[in-house]
Amino acid sequence: MRKWIISGAAVAVVLLGIAGTFVLSVRDSTRFDDRAYAGSTLSQTPQEAFTRFGVTLPDCTEGHIRYWVGDRHLYVKITAPAGCVSRFVETNRLTASPVSGPAPAAITEDEQAREFGWTFPADRRYTLHRRGEGDVEVHAWTDDVAEQSLYLDSWLQ
C-alpha cells in the first residue's frame, strides 16, 4: 500500500511539473491577458502582436484597452479621456481625415467588430485616422465625447 502512495505522489509531482511548465510558457500570451477578446490568438505576446501590426500603446491606455489578434488582423478598442486617445493617435502617427461624420459602414458592418459588442451611437461624430506603411494598414475611428472611444482595425496586406 505504501508503494502505491509513493508512486501516486511521484506521478502527481510529475504532472504538476508539466502543467507548471505549460503555464509558464503561455502566461504572456493573449490567453492569459484579460484585455483580449475571446478567440484572440495564443501564438504571441500582446507586445509582439502590437509591434507586428505597427501599433504602440502609450502608458495612459493601461486599464482602458481591449483587443483581438488574428493571423492578419488586429482590432483594438480604447475608451479613455480625450487626451489619452489623442496621445494614442499622435504616438501612432495616424493622420485624421478632414471630415467627421457618423461611423462608416467599414467598421459598423464589420462582423468581427459586432462580435466584440462595439456600438456606434448615432448621436456622435466620428473621425477616421489612418496610416499605411509597408505591409501594414491602420484605420482608427474616434468619437467626439469627453470619455472618448477609439476603434482600431489594423491588417497586414
Side-chain angles (χ1 to χ4, degrees):
M1 179 71 162
R2 186 171 180 201
K3 283 185 179 185
W4 284 99
I5 292 173
I6 293 172
S7 296
V11 169
V13 167
V14 168
L15 290 176
L16 284 172
I18 291 171
T21 301
F22 173 76
V23 167
L24 289 174
S25 70
V26 298
R27 73 175 175 192
D28 289 331
S29 74
T30 59
R31 179 178 184 165
F32 293 162
D33 189 344
D34 292 338
R35 303 171 302 173
Y37 289 107
S40 193
T41 187
L42 301 176
S43 63
Q44 52 194 287
T45 68
Q47 185 57 48
E48 289 169 337
F50 296 134
T51 299
R52 180 174 173 226
F53 288 94
V55 174
T56 301
L57 298 177
D59 291 339
C60 66
T61 61
E62 187 64 36
H64 300 283
I65 184 172
R66 296 290 313 270
Y67 69 92
W68 181 90
V69 180
D71 289 334
R72 303 196 54 80
H73 259 91
L74 169 69
Y75 290 88
V76 176
K77 180 181 180 191
I78 297 170
T79 302
C84 180
V85 171
S86 294
R87 200 158 129 211
F88 178 91
V89 168
E90 182 181 308
T91 298
N92 286 283
R93 302 174 327 281
L94 302 176
T95 304
S97 62
V99 179
S100 64
I107 193 71
T108 59
E109 295 176 8
D110 184 289
E111 184 177 324
Q112 195 72 45
R114 282 196 304 256
E115 286 183 25
F116 305 143
W118 291 3
T119 58
F120 303 92
D123 63 334
R124 296 183 184 175
R125 309 272 304 156
Y126 296 85
T127 301
L128 171 63
H129 307 266
R130 27 187 321 180
R131 183 187 79 232
E133 292 177 349
D135 65 343
V136 179
E137 187 74 25
V138 180
H139 288 183
W141 293 267
T142 56
D143 59 20
D144 62 353
V145 295
E147 183 77 4
Q148 267 188 310
S149 291
L150 176 137
Y151 304 88
L152 179 135
D153 180 10
S154 180
W155 64 93
L156 302 176
Q157 298 189 46

